[in-house]
Amino acid sequence: MSFVNMSVGDAILQVRDLHKIFPVEGGRRLVAVDGVDLDVAAGETLALVGESGSGKSTVARCIVRLIEPSGGEVTIDGTAIVPLPTKRLAGIYRRIQMVFQDPNASLNPRMNVRQVLDEPLRLHLALSGAERAGRVRELVEMVGLTPAHLERYPHELSGGQRQRVGIARAIAVSPDIVILDEPTSSLDVSVRGQILGLLLDLQQRLGLAYLFISHDLQVVQHVADRVAVMYLGSIVETGPVADVFRDPRHPYTRALLSAAPVAQWGVKRTRVRLAGEIASAIDPPDACRLVGRCPMAQPSCSAGKPSLIDLGQAHAVACPVVVDRPT
Amino acid sequence: MKIARLPLATLETSVVPSRARRKPKSYWALRIGIGILAFYIAVALLSLVWTPYDPLTPGIGDGYDAPSLAFPLGTDRLGADMLSRLMAGARYDLGISLTAVAIALTVGTTIGTFAGYYGGKVDIAILRGVEIFQAFPGLLFAMLVVQAVGAGITNVILVLSFVGIPDYLRLARAEIHAKRHWQYAEAARMVGNPPWRVAFRHLLPNSVGPVLAFTSINAAFSALVTASLGFLGLGLGPNTPEWGSMIARGQDGVMTGQWWVSFFPGLAIMGLTGSFYLLGDALSDITDPRRRQ
Amino acid sequence: MSGVLLEVENYSGAFWSPTNELVPVLHQVSYRLKTGAMTAVVGETGSGKSLVALSIFGIQPAAFVCTSGRILYRDTDLLGIDEKEMRSLRGAEISMVFQDARAALNPVFTVGRQLADVYQLQHGGGRSAAMAKAIEALRQVSIPEPERRARQYPHEFSGGMAQRAMIAMAALTCRPSLLILDEPTTGLDVTIQSDIMELIVELSRQRGLTTCLITHDLGVVAEICDEVVVMNAGRVVETGTTEAIFTAPTETYTRRLLAASQLLEAAA
């Protein structure tokens, strides 16, 4: 697993100061994404983790413009996606693709596997019918299905097979980067392992970069090179997976890591507890988002939202308290 | 690109659902509905080449002849053969209502899909316009317009389709609007489909169930309005063998015992609308996604 | 601790298919729930783990038919009693917590009212006394400001809070001996999930409950359960203490499931 620096030059996907604000009733503002920076290098996997309400899926959808971001810049290999006129988006989708969470819902029930895989080829590539048919056959075999599956409709496939089709669709036009939006969270554990194996295998063979959206820390540890932890619309900690999992610094990261049960006998966890439940993202005060829940909170935490502080070795944490008082 | 076969799933135990689909309970309704409709269409087509007598010629009988071997359904006041007129009438009533439905279906669904997918101000403007229009009774509207622009088949068809458009528009709009953020719609966008293709190629085929089910209800309504306009003398020319105007022509006879002149056209209308309702019932059952796997 | 509170014995069953054929889904399922212990029934989609639990509670789907077996609860065969007798057991003897708590609560009544209703049904007494008990139950499952929360409707509760309220209803307002939890934390965030599991463990210990946890999450099982029943495709694959299942599984399927849960490469 390669360790990749957060420098600007080699990033295939670059996200700067991404914002998404939803207006809510009463003229208030729901700040779903609040100034997110991300870099994904060619061939690497960056995991974006967080619980529900963290804004991680909104980030993914803003990057590919399924949701219109309120502000910020996104570039892919130097070409802007945000901002970009909607008409020119189709060209961008040759470079960046997405695998959706629920393979059940992301496949059109009235299209068989062949039609699903043929569509991106027809829309993006100037290929003849025979060439497309060949590529479709190549794709199903790449994801571990057989040409016999081509005439099947989604309801005739198992959950794992459906997700394989979703993956084949995403890699059909040979993108540089694929956003994986919780690709295994609706699958059984045994199928989960197979799908993760397939994703890692494809990454190696095709040199794909992944932005892996997940709430499953075990999976993240297994597949990602770097991780960014989100809480209430902001990244609170980022760094190489090994470092963050071995030495989590932000109180939220610690709480999150210590909450995940391990499927092994005799493992005792020491939980780091947060008070209550996630706060509202509506009109958030200019303070650390964890104030009120954090066991380490200081008066200074309420004075301004902290930004990421570099700890060296690409590890950064948005908490001056833990930086000043290392444990 | 080099291809290596990956090992197939080994541990996956989930059962793949069988290809066989649940057989809907309402097949009998569908069969009867289709059967009756097919009979009407056959009669309409037959009337183009053969009727027992000329439907437009009066004085074949003496007038008010009771049903007999020569005139199985009797004759009307002017002595025109009822069976011949009834057969020719199928052409008018069926043709007018089905054409109107086809136009309303196409136009309404197209506008509705457009409004539902794009949303925004245009959508709201279209919806409000439709609501204002629908506050006005359809039959009354049809009567007023036909009165104003004049009778004739084309006008009746246009008015009927215009009355039908809002319902199709709203149905399609509601379905598309609810589904436009479904994952397969988002996936379709990401594959590079232009918006119109996402709406018409991906969302519309998955939204036609309720629209199709409504089609037959609308067809029944259109057949009734056609007959109503004819009955009120607003639709087609006075001698046209249209069932509604035939009922009107026979209504004096009902009082004096010549029931057949109004009864048989009425029966024809009832059979036609009934078959449409049966079809609608069956279709809404069959196209209900919960009844599929 | 060695007594057996509930025993599923050779329980087999099938579903009526749309073409009116019986499709077997459960095959000779047998397992025991030891009195006072926390037993996990683990398995993947289609293993039948929930179906057996629903059968214990007497709410199996209409298309399901039992073809053989018994479910003995304190020497009573739950499959042999009528709906009226079953109703008298529900809540008083056996309680159940479902996956989606917000869907299990009635949206048009306040949470407090629903708990109070259940209390009155089980124990009688006046309305205000029942409401006081409901608030007390909410307090015991660590819902902050229970007086205010009791006046709220289910949609005002987060998923985690709603599950706490359901647990209060199933384990406190009712006074069961057996508590069945069907995927109680699936769909909840991991921090919330851990809190809920801790609450379940604490309540079971406190009240000496026998608990049956239906789950696909082996992590939770390793941490809190005493006994494990592994199911696959309608059959019981293996049963044993948690330590035995995790450290010395005898069946291939168990080993594979463990490996998959730990994201290790499956040992062939």
Side-chain angles (χ1 to χ4, degrees):
Chain A
M1 302 219 168
S2 61
F3 164 64
V4 181
N5 206 331
M6 280 175 64
S7 66
V8 179
D10 53 4
I12 188 95
L13 175 75
Q14 209 178 81
V15 178
R16 287 291 172 273
D17 201 27
L18 190 70
H19 280 85
K20 179 61 194 178
I21 294 158
F22 294 100
V24 283
E25 53 199 84
R28 296 181 302 165
R29 304 169 349 133
L30 189 149
V31 183
V33 178
D34 191 11
V36 162
D37 296 344
L38 290 173
D39 287 285
V40 185
E44 81 159 338
T45 301
L46 171 67
L48 190 58
V49 304
E51 297 184 287
S52 46
S54 65
K56 58 185 191 303
S57 281
T58 312
V59 168
R61 285 183 153 62
C62 282
I63 289 175
V64 293
R65 300 279 296 273
L66 288 175
I67 299 177
E68 281 307 305
S70 312
E73 286 168 25
V74 178
T75 55
I76 176 151
D77 209 9
T79 314
I81 315 181
V82 179
L84 182 75
T86 321
K87 284 195 173 62
R88 287 170 53 200
L89 274 176
I92 289 296
Y93 292 148
R94 278 197 64 178
R95 316 288 309 273
I96 185 164
Q97 272 296 326
M98 186 146 159
V99 173
F100 293 83
Q101 173 175 357
D102 184 355
N104 214 356
S106 66
L107 296 175
N108 186 335
R110 286 172 194 253
M111 285 170 83
N112 65 22
V113 175
R114 181 196 301 283
Q115 291 168 317
V116 168
L117 298 183
D118 185 57
E119 191 171 41
L121 304 177
R122 203 156 25 100
L123 291 167
H124 285 289
L125 309 175
L127 295 177
S128 70
E131 285 170 321
R132 291 204 312 266
R135 175 70 176 152
V136 164
R137 196 159 299 127
E138 188 178 78
L139 284 166
V140 284
E141 295 191 348
M142 279 170 85
V143 297
L145 298 172
T146 66
H149 290 105
L150 284 174
E151 308 307 323
R152 300 254 184 102
Y153 284 85
H155 72 269
E156 297 165 335
L157 299 171
S158 70
Q161 290 170 337
R162 282 180 208 146
Q163 196 57 300
R164 286 173 194 267
V165 176
I167 292 167
R169 170 173 62 189
I171 61 170
V173 294
S174 310
D176 302 314
I177 176 165
V178 178
I179 296 185
L180 307 166
D181 185 10
E182 307 252 16
T184 57
S185 67
S186 62
L187 304 174
D188 273 330
V189 279
S190 58
V191 185
R192 180 185 71 167
Q194 293 160 14
I195 296 294
L196 291 175
L198 171 66
L199 288 170
L200 289 174
D201 178 73
L202 289 173
Q203 179 169 46
Q204 262 184 2
R205 286 203 281 159
L206 308 175
L208 292 168
Y210 288 146
L211 177 60
F212 194 105
I213 315 292
S214 182
H215 69 277
D216 188 335
L217 297 163
Q218 199 190 0
V219 166
V220 166
Q221 196 171 11
H222 188 69
V223 301
D225 302 303
R226 291 189 302 119
V227 61
V229 181
M230 274 192 87
Y231 180 76
L232 266 181
S234 303
I235 292 176
V236 295
E237 184 160 4
T238 176
V241 162
D243 294 356
V244 173
F245 275 71
R246 182 172 32 85
D247 182 23
R249 301 298 295 275
H250 198 279
Y252 177 70
T253 315
R254 290 183 184 184
L256 194 62
L257 285 176
S258 75
V262 187
Q264 276 168 35
W265 173 250
V267 176
K268 286 280 167 276
R269 294 181 287 142
T270 320
R271 284 197 58 193
V272 174
R273 282 165 211 281
L274 298 174
E277 294 189 355
I278 189 166
S280 163
I282 295 173
D283 287 338
D286 185 24
C288 175
R289 298 283 182 265
L290 206 57
V291 159
R293 300 188 67 192
C294 182
M296 301 176 72
Q298 305 289 319
S300 63
C301 295
S302 302
K305 192 185 139 201
S307 42
L308 285 167
I309 302 161
D310 192 2
L311 302 170
Q313 307 237 302
H315 194 164
V317 63
C319 179
V321 177
V322 295
V323 173
D324 296 341
R325 198 180 52 183
T327 40
Chain B
M1 195 171 299
K2 201 167 170 301
I3 301 301
R5 270 286 292 279
L6 280 178
L8 270 170
T10 46
L11 189 58
E12 197 163 345
T13 52
S14 29
V15 182
V16 177
S18 76
R19 199 157 188 150
R21 232 180 220 179
R22 181 182 297 238
K23 193 177 165 186
K25 278 187 291 187
S26 41
Y27 261 21
W28 66 268
L30 189 70
R31 290 213 187 96
I32 295 176
I34 288 179
I36 299 178
L37 195 58
F39 172 71
Y40 274 84
I41 293 172
V43 168
L45 292 176
L46 177 64
S47 77
L48 288 169
V49 291
W50 180 82
T51 48
Y53 303 91
D54 179 37
L56 298 180
T57 309
I60 295 173
D62 302 330
Y64 284 146
D65 302 86
S68 64
L69 273 180
F71 305 108
L73 303 182
T75 66
D76 65 8
R77 183 167 50 88
L78 304 173
D81 176 46
M82 283 300 297
L83 178 59
S84 304
R85 286 181 69 80
L86 214 58
M87 286 172 68
R91 250 158 42 207
Y92 289 92
D93 285 78
L94 206 59
I96 289 172
S97 47
L98 287 185
T99 313
V101 164
I103 295 174
L105 172 73
T106 314
V107 176
T109 310
T110 306
I111 302 176
T113 303
F114 181 80
Y117 187 73
Y118 285 93
K121 290 193 180 107
V122 180
D123 178 35
I124 292 171
I126 290 177
L127 269 189
R128 291 295 162 274
V130 163
E131 275 161 19
I132 292 169
F133 178 71
Q134 284 200 312
F136 210 74
L139 175 59
L140 196 59
F141 177 84
M143 281 168 56
L144 289 175
V145 173
V146 170
Q147 188 82 301
V149 301
I153 291 185
T154 319
N155 285 348
V156 171
I157 289 176
L158 286 180
V159 167
L160 278 177
S161 52
F162 197 69
V163 172
I165 284 173
D167 286 309
Y168 291 105
L169 193 158
R170 289 174 65 143
L171 274 171
R173 188 235 163 237
E175 284 284 315
I176 302 284
H177 192 78
K179 288 183 177 153
R180 74 194 158 137
H181 288 307
W182 280 22
Q183 279 190 9
Y184 68 77
E186 292 194 332
R189 275 168 73 186
M190 291 229 36
V191 157
N193 282 293
W196 65 267
R197 256 189 74 101
V198 178
F200 286 93
R201 173 81 178 84
H202 288 270
L203 288 174
L204 190 57
N206 286 293
S207 311
V208 288
V211 177
L212 275 186
F214 176 73
T215 304
S216 42
I217 312 283
N218 179 235
F221 172 78
S222 296
L224 274 179
V225 174
T226 308
S228 305
L229 289 174
F231 181 82
L232 297 169
L234 290 170
L236 313 170
N239 197 33
T240 315
E242 189 282 322
W243 296 334
S245 48
M246 287 164 71
I247 297 178
R249 204 192 255 194
Q251 59 184 333
D252 298 336
V254 176
M255 294 301 167
T256 50
Q258 289 84 21
W259 52 272
W260 55 88
V261 185
S262 286
F263 176 77
F264 289 113
L267 196 66
I269 293 169
M270 199 181 89
L272 182 62
T273 51
S275 77
F276 281 137
Y277 278 124
L278 280 176
L279 273 177
D281 233 28
L283 281 177
S284 65
D285 273 359
I286 291 167
T287 53
D288 183 345
R290 280 164 301 182
R291 288 181 158 260
R292 293 187 231 133
Q293 322 206 333
Chain C
M1 287 286 273
S2 58
V4 173
L5 184 68
L6 182 125
E7 180 166 9
V8 180
E9 220 179 67
N10 292 325
Y11 187 48
S12 300
F15 270 115
W16 282 113
S17 78
T19 48
N20 279 340
E21 285 162 272
L22 276 177
V23 183
V25 285
L26 293 178
H27 309 273
Q28 307 277 314
V29 173
S30 298
Y31 61 75
R32 294 166 170 202
L33 302 181
K34 287 186 188 159
T35 310
M38 186 171 259
T39 307
V41 180
V42 299
E44 296 187 285
T45 312
S47 64
K49 58 186 191 300
S50 286
L51 201 50
V52 179
L54 295 177
S55 306
I56 296 173
F57 206 54
I59 50 169
Q60 56 273 49
F64 178 80
V65 228
C66 162
T67 50
S68 79
R70 296 193 298 174
I71 298 179
L72 291 174
Y73 176 82
R74 295 193 204 276
D75 302 327
T76 310
D77 183 4
L78 297 182
L79 298 174
I81 61 177
D82 62 20
E83 176 59 25
K84 193 165 161 251
E85 290 170 291
M86 192 67 225
R87 250 199 317 264
S88 70
L89 286 179
R90 283 190 205 126
E93 292 287 338
I94 306 173
S95 272
M96 192 154 177
V97 171
F98 299 93
Q99 178 179 336
D100 189 350
R102 268 186 292 193
L105 288 163
N106 187 331
V108 302
F109 296 114
T110 64
V111 173
R113 162 94 189 273
Q114 293 182 55
L115 262 77
D117 280 353
V118 172
Y119 185 86
Q120 276 186 296
L121 196 67
Q122 293 287 335
H123 310 281
R127 166 150 281 193
S128 59
M131 187 53 95
K133 288 283 182 193
I135 292 169
E136 182 52 32
L138 290 177
R139 192 191 314 283
Q140 282 183 52
V141 293
S142 307
I143 290 183
E145 304 178 75
E147 289 87 356
R148 186 174 67 85
R149 284 296 192 162
R151 286 194 299 272
Q152 288 184 331
Y153 290 88
H155 74 267
E156 297 173 86
F157 275 54
S158 67
M161 282 298 162
Q163 194 58 285
R164 281 175 190 277
M166 282 310 289
I167 290 167
M169 188 186 285
L172 299 173
T173 311
C174 302
R175 293 290 175 88
S177 305
L178 173 61
L179 179 62
I180 303 171
L181 305 134
D182 188 3
E183 304 267 9
T185 59
T186 304
L188 297 178
D189 279 327
V190 8
T191 49
I192 309 296
Q193 186 177 325
S194 284
D195 293 344
I196 298 275
M197 287 321 303
E198 281 173 15
L199 172 71
I200 290 169
V201 172
E202 191 189 306
L203 281 180
S204 320
R205 298 255 158 83
Q206 226 175 57
R207 310 220 155 229
L209 292 177
T210 304
T211 355
C212 177
L213 176 69
I214 316 293
T215 185
H216 68 276
D217 186 344
L218 286 169
V220 170
V221 174
E223 207 148 71
I224 65 170
C225 292
D226 307 303
E227 304 274 332
V228 182
V229 177
V230 183
M231 285 188 71
N232 180 36
R235 289 187 170 80
V236 171
V237 175
E238 190 170 0
T239 57
T241 65
T242 307
E243 185 176 1
I245 293 286
F246 276 83
T247 56
T250 56
E251 296 295 322
T252 319
Y253 179 79
T254 313
R255 280 203 291 274
R256 281 194 192 162
L257 192 65
L258 275 169
S261 297
Q262 295 157 359
L263 281 174
L264 304 170
E265 298 312 317

